[in-house]
Amino acid sequence: MRPERVAAELDARTPGWAILFGRYSGQLVALHLNGPGVVAASSVAELQRRMALVESAAPARRARHLPRHAARHGPDGAWAPPRPAAPPGDSVRGPGNGYR
């Protein structure tokens, strides 16, 4: 079986991982989608062993008490866009121009 096909089948069987075949390196490369971790191996068995090591070492993600989008809302529940950062050198009292 072609290595690209092997990578595609492994990718379909392993949720949370993106598996590709490195054409120049000749290795299977797996990217952990839920945390840090990139592994490469020349055989399927070695790749699966390394993926298991990364998964066992990665800390379990704790659920937050608020959904991610809740941080963008003000105390009254209305959406509050993030305040844009001031450009460099722009302040309440700029150099040589007094107060704004």
Side-chain angles (χ1 to χ4, degrees), residues 61 64-73:
R61 290 191 168 207
R64 295 182 178 180
H65 67 284
L66 293 174
R68 293 187 78 188
H69 66 276
R72 292 188 229 138
H73 289 77

Side-chain angles (χ1 to χ4, degrees), residues 83-97:
R83 197 174 274 201
D90 189 21
S91 63
V92 175
R93 183 172 191 163
N97 65 354

Side-chain angles (χ1 to χ4, degrees), residues 24-66:
Y24 292 106
S25 67
Q27 293 188 337
L28 295 165
V29 179
L31 306 164
H32 196 242
L33 301 177
N34 299 325
V38 177
V39 294
S42 56
S43 71
V44 174
E46 182 64 18
L47 183 72
Q48 290 174 332
R49 185 186 73 77
R50 292 179 183 182
M51 287 167 52
L53 286 172
V54 168
E55 286 179 342
S56 67
R61 290 191 168 207
R62 294 187 311 187
R64 295 182 178 180
H65 67 284
L66 293 174

Side-chain angles (χ1 to χ4, degrees), residues 3-22:
E4 294 89 356
R5 180 78 177 160
V6 172
E9 286 183 9
L10 279 174
D11 188 41
R13 286 191 314 210
T14 52
W17 288 89
I19 301 175
L20 309 164
F21 175 71

